[in-house]
Amino acid sequence: NENEDEEFRKIAIRADVTKSKSSPNRISTTKYSLLSWLPKSLWEQFRRVANVYFLLISILMLIGEYAPTLWQTPLDPYSTVVTLLFVLLVTSIKEGMEDLQRAKSDRFENNKEVTVISFSDDGSIKETVVQSQFISPGDIIKLSGHMAAPVDLIIILTSMHSDGNKCYIETANIDGETNLKLREAPAMLMDCLGDRISAGIPVPEIFKGSIECQQPNKNIHTFIGTLHLDSSSEAIPLSAENLILRSCLFSNTDWGYGIAVYTGQETKIQMNNRHAASKMSTLEGYLNMAIIIIFWSQCILVSISVISIYIMGFNKFDSKLPYVYPNGEGSGSVLPLWLEQWIVFFLLYNNFIPISLYVTIELVNVGQASLIASDLLMYQEDLDVPCAVKSSNLVQELGQVSNIFSDKTGTLTKNEMKLVKFIIEGRMYDVAVNAVPVGQSPILTSTHKNVSDSSFNSSNDLKVESISNCEDNKNGSLKSGGLISSPHEKMNERLMDFLRCLTTCHTVVREKSGEYRAESPDELALVEGVAGYRCGLRERSTKEMNIELCGQLKTYEIFAVNPFNADRKRMSILVRDTQGPSDEYLVLCKGADNIMLPLCSSVVNDPHQLEEINQSLMDLANLGLRTLIVAQKKLTEAEAQKWLRTFREASVSTTNREENIANAGAQLETDLTLVGITAIEDCLQDEVPEVIADLAKAGIVLWMLTGDKVETAINIARSCNLLLSNTVLSIMTKVKNSTEFGTRMREEYDKLVATGGNNNALVIDGPSLAHFDDKDQELRVIFIKIGQLCRSVVACRLTPTQKRELVALVKKETKPRAITLSIGDGANDVSMILEADVGVGIYGKEGRQAANNADFAIGEFKFLRRLLLVHGRWNYIRQSRVFLYSMHKNMVITLTLFWFSYFDAVSGTSLYESWIYTSFNFALGLPIIFYGILDRDLSESYVLSNPKTYITGQRNVYLRPASLAMWIVNAIEYAVVICLIFYYVSKQTFMYDGLYVSGTTVFTGLVMALQAKVAFLHHQWAYPQIVSMCISVFCLLIYYLIISSSTDDYWYVGFFTMGQGIFWYYGMFSVPLIAVFIDVLGYCFYLFFKPTPEMVFREMEHQDVFCDPYQQLTCLRTSGDSSESHREKLGPQQSSSVDMATLHAENVDYIVPKSSENYSPSTPPRGGGNNIV
């Protein structure tokens, strides 16, 4: 009893309406309240190492300002404090504005008006309108029109009380499914209070009592409870079929009354609205690591400066640094000289870590995400959805993907199912719907031989007999009166059984308009597939269904439905023909072949028949068709009633109800008779073969993870270019134990190593994968190496858990680390989408669970090519360079202060005035942000035509240790050049005009040099980039004048400095040009003597050809023209340029003109050039 009390709660039905003092149904999706916003936001921001660092710097500066007996700060502390506060405040306001929008949405939901009913003493109804937030568990809610349910409620009475007391709902707000779903009042309620229910009027007897139900939980597909009414001695079981969840739309039903069970944050949808753990991008990992490295580098630099004081003998004076404190009093610090100066230099070099780094990266991420979302070439017109970016911090990860894990159904295929074939008594029938004139039934064609014949290839090779509604049919036909007499009486009887099963064994709902709505595309395909044979659902209630079976109207009484789920993989229904024998009940069942065949006793006891059926299934799978087994059995009334008692006991049990119901269903689904096999076609989505081919060329290993059987998966894989005609398959199926799995895996690995594995593919199934010993490290490594050697992997019969585990295995064990991407469209794909580094969801026909949980959501699989090859590659290159440049610029300014310390006798004096020094990151922020958002090194048409350019991000070219070292060396070169020129050129300025005049000139030269470097980084120019640079320079000059007019230390310095010729000649022009000349020389050296692959790509684009510099092969020009004719088109100079680039590309694969693909060539801006677009 104690355990039951923990798992269940009791809710008293509230017959009177008293406004609650609290707000039990109030929802809140906000992160902050008015009081917690600022402290909580600041706490979140100080989880970033850089912000903690600058907080420490600010504290040390303030101590130096107000406690000079410890140390004296070389900079104005408020210059750093104000900057830090500005950065923190901007981020806090941004988060606060986002939270404010959530608060407005919550307020709208909480203030919605809802009608709650109660009963007066005489039993009359009282309706009270209250705000949604004041609804309490047990309240009686009235639903009407097309309104959304305000709480999770149990439906008790509806306007369809005479038709099973049911209603229809739409769950699009929960799972994205737009089709209508049936909900019904508890079936036993009609048995207990039938007369009151049939009247259709709410009376107190129906609503007085209590509900015992589960504690709140997030499982939206299950519900267990019991309704106890004062007017009935029987406990009435409640299930998910009686529960309407919050946000479901009450549709196609005039009115309804229900009892609230879960409210507010306890509703199932709110409990599922928990944010998944955020994913950290590779760049963020580099960023955190870089900050730590830079911090220790700063400490080393500080230590070198302090040691230099002693080496250069500046510690041998009678007082501390007398050239700084000439009165002989020293600094007044109680600390030793080395410790005092160590802190001083630590504060002086604080800009080594860029304070604006996080803000810059975030703004670039937001800009890149905006461009992805606004890309019209990734807009799905049918669904009216663009590409949705839900994790902007992962946009650059799209350019580094090495492994893609894809679902099949609804992802590679359209999930638009059509019944195209079925098998009855070993004979195959084609459903040739397209060949039928209007008003006639589709023609069935069948073989004269058993489909298990190994010579069977396709329906086109078969001699056929027609079964149509033509009167001259001699072999049997479907007429308005049903099956006519023919020599095949047994065959006709079995065909009738088959059509009856497909017409009745389902959960399809027919709307008032006559349109079918189904929870599964497979069910809809079966019902619509037989509709052409004058078979279909007319009307359905909870107790019976009216159908048309081969033109005859029939009514079947429904006693029980055992629904399909992922564990059972089958569904069944117990019915009785009201026009047939009263003591004959039918069990109709359909499901997956591996589940259903063992339940068919006639098949299990006949090995020959089982072999023929398996061969038939294989034939259908080889055509890429999805198969289901259809079976039935007959029960006597005694057998049916005995089972129904067991089913009812399971339905009312308060513990383990789902398990008990499943066990009861399993008892019914035994000793079945095989009726037939259905074959459903699911066509590929548009451009899937081309997209997969391009992704394979890009060096991405593709994994197809599906629940289909092996043969179906292989056939689909071949049709979508996942497997080529010459691909060698390594089959790992039907493994019986872990020992065999390990042995076969090692054998396959040895074969792949021996052959090179360039065109191999691994095929593995879920039952075999279950024997994989996850703790065997050697086997884990072998499995990963097999995946790396293969061009693709096809995994079949997988559960959602196995999909997630495969993704996790590849993500964690691959060396070097693999960037994984999972893509799917259904709820069963959510686990692998969340596990992958990048999750992509497709707006599917089975709902939007995958899209809702993904980092990116797209309308079709074909958009993945553009998302990765174009946007992903661009974003990786842009973001990498933004990161490197941000580190580089702060390294340069810190090194100028380091070099200057040897000109000021290592005193710790700042060359730059504090507020000028603080403006450094702001002066250089705007141009690099626009570069990170808009720059393109190659045009999109060229990248799409030549997918191998994607390898830039896969090999992490821009963030390799060698690349990082080059940027560090470049920063040192910049600092040396700037210091050598300015410190000698402006020597007189130092002596006569003052420190800050010289410092402003040096600072200007430094900023302009780094502006020039940003300009040199651009591969193309657009107006926003030009404007951003002009604004930055203009604002810097205006800033000088503002500071000159508002600070004592810098009074009039800006005006005076800008009037000097040295400021304009050296600061604005000469030094920046000399500094950037270093980059020009380096670029030319690599271009002419050791070109990088990216340089070759840009040169090839300019010459309208492609060359892969990563492969040690011969460079071949393949186009519609010969090499000579192509050379003539280019002209002599262009031709020699191509040869030059080709000559220097040490590793070359092939050259392809971009016009050879189907993409419309445009005139792209030349990579590395300065074209205005």
Side-chain angles (χ1 to χ4, degrees):
N1 291 333
E2 291 180 2
N3 291 336
E4 285 190 26
D5 290 341
E6 292 177 4
E7 295 178 3
F8 287 82
R9 60 160 56 170
K10 193 170 185 178
I11 302 171
I13 302 176
R14 289 158 51 93
D16 59 331
V17 179
T18 55
K19 185 174 180 180
S20 176
K21 295 181 180 179
S22 61
S23 303
N25 195 40
R26 182 178 182 275
I27 64 167
S28 176
T29 59
T30 58
K31 293 172 61 178
Y32 312 111
S33 66
L34 187 61
L35 295 177
S36 68
W37 162 62
L38 192 58
K40 193 173 180 180
S41 176
L42 292 176
W43 171 257
E44 291 287 334
Q45 292 188 67
F46 280 116
R47 294 170 63 183
R48 293 175 170 177
V49 178
N51 289 337
V52 175
Y53 167 82
F54 282 103
L55 178 63
L56 174 63
I57 291 295
S58 299
I59 293 172
L60 292 176
M61 285 184 174
L62 289 170
I63 293 174
E65 179 74 13
Y66 295 103
T69 55
L70 295 176
W71 61 80
Q72 293 189 11
T73 176
L75 300 169
D76 186 342
Y78 293 104
S79 62
T80 300
V81 171
V82 170
T83 304
L84 177 62
L85 290 177
F86 176 79
V87 171
L88 296 176
L89 191 61
V90 167
T91 305
S92 295
I93 292 175
K94 168 181 166 289
E95 293 183 353
M97 294 299 291
E98 292 173 351
D99 212 48
L100 185 61
Q101 295 302 315
R102 290 190 286 266
K104 289 180 179 179
S105 177
D106 291 344
R107 190 180 304 114
F108 175 78
E109 288 293 325
N110 293 327
N111 292 339
K112 281 184 176 179
E113 293 186 344
V114 178
T115 301
V116 177
I117 72 166
S118 59
F119 298 95
S120 58
D121 295 336
D122 60 357
S124 60
I125 300 175
K126 292 192 299 183
E127 294 188 354
T128 306
V129 177
V130 301
Q131 290 184 349
S132 174
Q133 60 183 321
F134 297 117
I135 298 175
S136 299
D139 280 346
I140 306 169
I141 311 298
K142 180 179 180 180
L143 302 175
S144 59
H146 200 68
M147 70 175 289
V151 294
D152 291 351
L153 57 86
I154 295 295
I155 192 70
I156 298 295
L157 183 65
T158 75
S159 58
M160 304 173 74
H161 51 84
S162 59
D163 186 16
N165 206 13
K166 64 184 179 181
C167 65
Y168 294 102
I169 62 170
E170 292 181 17
T171 59
N173 292 332
I174 296 176
D175 55 21
E177 297 180 15
T178 57
N179 47 302
L180 291 179
K181 294 182 176 62
L182 182 68
R183 291 293 183 268
E184 57 191 13
M188 287 185 62
L189 189 63
M190 182 67 76
D191 298 334
C192 299
L193 302 169
D195 54 339
R196 297 176 178 86
I197 296 295
S198 58
I201 302 174
V203 293
E205 289 83 355
I206 305 176
F207 295 99
K208 285 187 176 181
S210 63
I211 292 177
E212 187 179 4
C213 62
Q214 294 172 306
Q215 294 289 344
N217 60 78
K218 62 173 65 176
N219 194 330
I220 64 175
H221 299 295
T222 62
F223 177 79
I224 298 175
T226 306
L227 174 63
H228 301 277
L229 293 178
D230 297 343
S231 56
S232 174
S233 59
E234 293 189 46
I236 300 174
L238 304 175
S239 68
E241 298 301 316
N242 315 127
L243 183 69
I244 298 179
L245 299 181
R246 180 180 185 129
S247 298
C248 289
L249 293 178
F250 190 70
S251 302
N252 279 38
T253 311
D254 296 332
W255 51 262
Y257 294 93
I259 302 170
V261 287
Y262 302 133
T263 59
Q265 299 299 122
E266 293 184 344
T267 57
K268 290 181 180 288
I269 187 173
Q270 287 300 116
M271 296 189 76
N272 277 278
N273 281 346
R274 307 286 173 86
H275 295 289
S278 58
K279 300 176 182 178
M280 177 177 285
S281 68
T282 305
L283 183 66
E284 288 175 307
Y286 276 111
L287 193 151
N288 292 334
M289 180 180 65
I291 287 177
I292 295 172
I293 293 174
I294 290 175
F295 174 79
W296 289 112
S297 300
Q298 179 183 349
C299 292
I300 293 172
L301 209 62
V302 169
S303 300
I304 292 173
S305 297
V306 172
I307 292 172
S308 298
I309 295 175
Y310 291 85
I311 293 177
M312 300 176 71
F314 294 124
N315 64 317
K316 296 179 180 179
F317 297 100
D318 295 334
S319 61
K320 293 181 181 178
L321 307 180
Y323 45 87
V324 179
Y325 309 102
N327 296 329
E329 298 175 355
S331 65
S333 173
V334 297
L335 299 178
L337 175 64
W338 68 269
L339 181 56
E340 176 192 2
Q341 289 302 103
W342 199 96
I343 297 174
V344 168
F345 279 109
F346 186 77
L347 296 177
L348 183 64
Y349 300 157
N350 76 85
N351 229 350
F352 214 158
I353 296 178
I355 192 173
S356 62
L357 179 59
Y358 285 116
V359 175
T360 301
I361 295 294
E362 284 185 1
L363 290 176
V364 171
N365 283 337
V366 170
Q368 292 175 347
S370 177
L371 290 180
I372 292 175
S374 60
D375 189 343
L376 293 179
L377 294 180
M378 292 196 295
Y379 171 75
Q380 181 66 19
E381 188 173 359
D382 296 343
L383 301 175
D384 189 26
V385 289
C387 175
V389 181
K390 303 181 180 182
S391 299
S392 61
N393 64 311
L394 298 179
V395 289
Q396 71 280 346
E397 293 287 277
L398 295 170
Q400 297 179 271
V401 174
S402 57
N403 288 262
I404 292 179
F405 298 84
S406 175
D407 178 41
K408 180 183 76 69
T409 305
T411 303
L412 301 178
T413 61
K414 293 182 178 180
N415 207 9
E416 294 178 355
M417 311 296 185
K418 292 183 180 179
L419 178 64
V420 293
K421 297 177 185 291
F422 55 82
I423 297 175
I424 301 174
E425 293 287 343
R427 186 169 295 171
M428 178 176 289
Y429 294 85
D430 290 331
V431 183
V433 178
N434 295 332
V436 182
V438 177
Q440 295 185 13
S441 298
I443 297 173
L444 297 177
T445 59
S446 74
T447 63
H448 278 296
K449 55 184 177 181
N450 195 295
V451 293
S452 62
D453 193 320
S454 59
S455 64
F456 167 75
N457 289 315
S458 71
S459 59
N460 295 329
D461 300 326
L462 307 176
K463 289 180 66 178
V464 299
E465 60 180 75
S466 298
I467 301 181
S468 67
N469 61 351
C470 302
E471 294 187 6
D472 60 347
N473 188 301
K474 299 178 182 180
N475 297 315
S477 64
L478 294 178
K479 279 192 168 185
S480 60
L483 288 168
I484 65 169
S485 299
S486 76
H488 307 288
E489 292 293 344
K490 182 181 178 181
M491 180 65 210
N492 289 337
E493 180 184 354
R494 188 66 72 201
L495 181 59
M496 176 70 82
D497 292 341
F498 176 81
L499 294 174
R500 175 174 52 211
C501 186
L502 296 189
T503 309
T504 58
C505 186
H506 54 73
T507 58
V508 174
V509 174
R510 181 169 179 167
E511 292 184 337
K512 296 178 181 178
S513 63
E515 183 181 356
Y516 289 129
R517 297 282 190 142
E519 296 183 17
S520 164
D522 297 77
E523 280 201 329
L524 186 62
L526 294 177
V527 173
E528 290 182 340
V530 298
Y533 311 119
R534 308 185 70 178
C535 298
L537 176 67
R538 286 294 188 90
E539 196 174 4
R540 181 179 191 145
S541 68
T542 56
K543 294 293 186 181
E544 65 180 24
M545 67 170 69
N546 298 323
I547 67 170
E548 182 179 3
L549 186 62
C550 298
Q552 291 183 337
L553 298 180
K554 287 184 173 290
T555 300
Y556 284 89
E557 188 177 358
I558 302 173
F559 294 94
V561 176
N562 296 305
F564 178 93
N565 61 43
D567 296 323
R568 286 169 35 81
K569 295 185 178 179
R570 64 187 184 276
M571 80 156 292
S572 62
I573 186 170
L574 177 62
V575 298
R576 184 178 66 85
D577 186 355
T578 58
Q579 302 169 4
S582 60
D583 62 343
E584 183 178 278
Y585 291 71
L586 287 174
V587 178
L588 307 173
C589 187
K590 68 174 187 284
D593 56 88
N594 61 328
I595 300 295
M596 291 291 294
L597 288 179
L599 303 178
C600 297
S601 55
S602 59
V603 175
V604 173
N605 299 327
D606 188 347
H608 178 69
Q609 184 183 6
L610 180 61
E611 182 180 355
E612 289 183 343
I613 291 172
N614 285 329
Q615 184 60 49
S616 299
L617 292 169
M618 181 80 70
D619 291 334
L620 294 172
N622 287 331
L623 294 174
L625 303 177
R626 297 160 58 94
T627 56
L628 288 175
I629 297 291
V630 178
Q632 71 173 24
K633 75 172 180 180
K634 296 180 180 180
L635 296 179
T636 64
E637 184 175 8
E639 292 172 332
Q641 293 300 327
K642 180 182 179 180
W643 179 83
L644 283 173
R645 284 193 294 271
T646 303
F647 180 73
R648 290 192 184 101
E649 290 175 1
S651 300
V652 298
S653 59
T654 56
T655 58
N656 301 322
R657 178 182 296 177
E658 292 182 3
E659 183 180 347
N660 295 336
I661 292 176
N663 292 336
Q667 293 177 22
L668 182 68
E669 299 156 346
T670 58
D671 297 326
L672 300 173
T673 300
L674 179 67
V675 175
I677 302 172
T678 65
I680 296 175
E681 180 184 42
D682 188 7
C683 300
L684 290 177
Q685 290 187 18
D686 296 340
E687 301 181 30
V688 165
E690 294 84 353
V691 171
I692 288 180
D694 284 348
L695 294 176
K697 290 178 185 177
I700 299 174
V701 178
L702 294 110
W703 301 59
M704 186 173 78
L705 312 183
T706 178
D708 283 337
K709 59 175 66 67
V710 174
E711 294 76 15
T712 302
I714 290 176
N715 186 275
I716 294 296
R718 290 193 186 280
S719 64
C720 66
N721 276 343
L722 202 61
L723 302 176
L724 303 179
S725 57
N726 60 343
T727 299
V728 180
L729 300 183
S730 299
I731 307 292
M732 279 287 295
T733 59
K734 301 180 180 178
V735 176
K736 299 178 181 178
N737 52 59
S738 57
T739 303
E740 181 185 352
F741 185 91
T743 302
R744 290 179 60 180
M745 188 64 70
R746 290 176 175 87
E747 291 175 353
E748 293 295 340
Y749 176 66
D750 293 337
K751 291 179 184 178
L752 289 173
V753 171
T755 59
N758 293 328
N759 195 28
N760 289 64
L762 174 66
V763 179
I764 190 169
D765 64 353
S768 298
L769 194 61
H771 298 298
F772 174 61
D773 185 0
D774 191 54
K775 297 180 181 179
D776 188 339
Q777 185 60 33
E778 180 189 1
L779 194 59
R780 289 169 66 95
V781 172
I782 288 176
F783 188 89
I784 292 301
K785 288 184 176 179
I786 289 176
Q788 290 176 318
L789 288 170
C790 292
R791 76 182 303 274
S792 59
V793 180
V794 177
C796 324
R797 296 291 191 189
L798 295 186
T799 64
T801 301
Q802 286 179 317
K803 290 182 178 183
R804 177 184 59 79
E805 290 173 347
L806 266 180
V807 176
L809 179 65
V810 174
K811 185 172 73 170
K812 295 175 182 177
E813 295 295 334
T814 304
K815 306 296 180 186
R817 184 178 179 276
I819 302 298
T820 57
L821 181 148
S822 292
I823 180 170
D825 74 314
N828 61 333
D829 302 318
V830 170
S831 57
M832 75 170 183
I833 285 174
L834 295 176
E835 181 65 39
D837 295 297
V838 181
V840 178
I842 292 182
Y843 295 106
K845 295 183 180 296
E846 294 183 356
R848 297 193 176 183
Q849 300 98 317
N852 293 340
N853 287 277
D855 304 304
F856 302 87
I858 55 179
E860 286 189 67
F861 183 83
K862 66 180 181 181
F863 297 140
L864 186 64
R865 171 172 53 190
R866 184 172 181 82
L867 187 64
L868 296 186
L869 302 187
V870 178
H871 290 287
R873 185 182 179 279
W874 283 345
N875 292 339
Y876 164 76
I877 295 175
R878 296 164 177 165
Q879 199 68 284
S880 298
R881 289 190 157 195
V882 168
F883 167 74
L884 293 170
Y885 175 82
S886 298
M887 296 297 182
H888 173 276
K889 66 181 177 62
N890 284 66
M891 200 177 298
V892 173
I893 192 171
T894 303
L895 289 175
T896 60
L897 290 172
F898 176 74
W899 302 137
F900 179 72
S901 67
Y902 293 96
F903 287 83
D904 64 10
V906 203
S907 63
T909 302
S910 174
L911 173 62
Y912 313 117
E913 194 274 334
S914 298
W915 290 98
I916 298 298
Y917 187 36
T918 301
S919 69
F920 178 72
N921 289 300
F922 296 100
L924 294 171
L926 202 58
I928 193 62
I929 289 173
F930 275 93
Y931 165 84
I933 296 173
L934 298 175
D935 188 61
R936 302 178 179 185
D937 69 318
L938 297 172
S939 67
E940 61 185 69
S941 59
Y942 187 79
V943 170
L944 289 172
S945 300
N946 304 287
K948 288 193 176 183
T949 57
Y950 185 75
I951 207 167
T952 300
Q954 281 183 327
R955 299 198 175 184
N956 202 19
V957 171
Y958 286 98
L959 294 177
R960 288 176 176 175
S963 178
L964 295 173
M966 289 178 59
W967 278 79
I968 293 172
V969 170
N970 184 263
I972 295 172
E973 292 172 347
Y974 263 64
V976 169
V977 168
I978 291 172
C979 290
L980 288 178
I981 294 175
F982 274 115
Y983 294 167
Y984 286 99
V985 168
S986 61
K987 185 176 181 180
Q988 297 298 320
T989 306
F990 276 118
M991 295 175 61
Y992 300 109
D993 295 331
L995 176 65
Y996 289 155
V997 174
S998 298
T1000 302
T1001 304
V1002 176
F1003 185 85
T1004 304
L1006 174 62
V1007 170
M1008 294 304 297
L1010 292 171
Q1011 292 274 28
K1013 186 172 184 65
V1014 174
F1016 186 76
L1017 290 177
H1018 281 76
H1019 298 97
Q1020 67 171 28
W1021 285 97
Y1023 291 114
Q1025 293 150 301
I1026 298 173
V1027 172
S1028 68
M1029 297 197 73
C1030 293
I1031 290 175
S1032 295
V1033 174
F1034 178 76
C1035 288
L1036 177 65
L1037 300 178
I1038 297 298
Y1039 182 77
Y1040 286 159
L1041 302 180
I1042 294 173
I1043 298 299
S1044 295
S1045 306
S1046 56
T1047 60
D1048 294 335
D1049 292 343
Y1050 199 71
W1051 182 260
Y1052 201 68
V1053 172
F1055 292 95
F1056 179 81
T1057 304
M1058 292 172 65
Q1060 303 297 310
I1062 191 174
F1063 172 85
W1064 296 101
Y1065 182 75
Y1066 286 101
M1068 294 295 291
F1069 299 107
S1070 298
V1071 171
L1073 291 176
I1074 293 171
V1076 80
F1077 187 66
I1078 298 172
D1079 292 328
V1080 175
L1081 288 177
Y1083 183 85
C1084 290
F1085 171 80
Y1086 278 98
L1087 180 63
F1088 288 102
F1089 299 102
K1090 194 178 179 182
T1092 65
E1094 287 64 44
M1095 290 178 178
V1096 176
F1097 290 151
R1098 289 193 291 273
E1099 183 66 21
M1100 294 301 101
E1101 180 188 18
H1102 182 59
Q1103 303 301 336
D1104 198 20
V1105 291
F1106 175 72
C1107 178
D1108 179 7
Y1110 286 103
Q1111 300 292 334
Q1112 295 280 358
L1113 297 173
T1114 304
C1115 184
L1116 301 174
R1117 292 182 178 87
T1118 57
S1119 66
D1121 302 322
S1122 65
S1123 298
E1124 284 71 15
S1125 62
H1126 184 68
R1127 190 184 301 268
E1128 290 174 2
K1129 288 181 180 180
L1130 294 176
Q1133 292 182 345
Q1134 292 178 331
S1135 176
S1136 62
S1137 177
V1138 173
D1139 291 341
M1140 178 275 297
T1142 303
L1143 179 64
H1144 293 309
E1146 300 175 355
N1147 308 318
V1148 177
D1149 185 6
Y1150 56 86
I1151 294 179
V1152 182
K1154 70 183 175 189
S1155 57
S1156 66
E1157 295 291 332
N1158 293 326
Y1159 305 104
S1160 300
S1162 58
T1163 305
R1166 178 180 178 179
N1170 296 325
N1171 299 321
I1172 302 296
V1173 296

